[in-house]
Amino acid sequence: MKGLMDWLLALKYALGSVQVQILLALTFSQIGIATVFYHWIEQWSWVDAFYFSVITIATVGYGDFSPKTDAGKLFTVFYILLGIGLFVTATATLASQFLAAAKEEIRRKRDRGE
């Protein structure tokens, strides 16, 4: 249980970073815009549009959905080119902040003699 609490504190610290907050806001905004686009242009349900937006930006790409319209295909090309960089940067920054918080907690425990 103590390890979980340390993990949650590190996550709280990481999410408190303005840089992480901005990158996550941009990432979720991009997913939201893509979801709306696919819902309206490809006529997918909201869940399918959201699902496709997330698996595409995360580079999972199961292949169960693909755009059928030219507009959808062109949008997807730009979404991938912009989204992957943003997603990777957001994920790497969150992980970096998380690790920094975890290292700081280890240092504090060492200084207290725990």
Side-chain angles (χ1 to χ4, degrees), residues 10-11 13-14 92-106:
L11 183 61
Y13 171 82
T93 303
L94 178 61
S96 174
Q97 292 291 327
F98 178 83
L99 291 174
K103 286 178 185 177
E104 179 61 24
E105 182 62 26
I106 290 168

Side-chain angles (χ1 to χ4, degrees), residues 57-99:
I57 200 171
T59 72
V60 174
Y62 291 123
D64 47 354
F65 287 97
S66 63
K68 303 295 183 228
T69 66
D70 288 344
K73 291 173 185 176
L74 291 172
F75 177 84
T76 302
V77 168
F78 291 106
Y79 177 61
I80 290 169
L81 293 175
L82 294 174
I84 290 173
L86 180 60
F87 182 77
V88 168
T89 302
T91 304
T93 303
L94 178 61
S96 174
Q97 292 291 327
F98 178 83
L99 291 174

Side-chain angles (χ1 to χ4, degrees), residues 10-57:
L11 183 61
K12 180 182 175 185
Y13 171 82
L15 292 174
S17 163
V18 173
Q19 184 180 14
V20 169
Q21 291 172 2
I22 290 169
L23 287 168
L24 289 176
L26 289 171
T27 300
F28 289 124
S29 295
Q30 190 171 19
I31 290 170
I33 290 166
T35 298
V36 170
F37 178 88
Y38 293 122
H39 174 74
W40 290 109
I41 301 302
E42 295 296 325
Q43 300 296 304
W44 292 343
S45 73
W46 287 108
V47 172
D48 288 344
F50 175 71
Y51 169 79
F52 181 78
S53 299
V54 171
I55 66 168
T56 299
I57 200 171

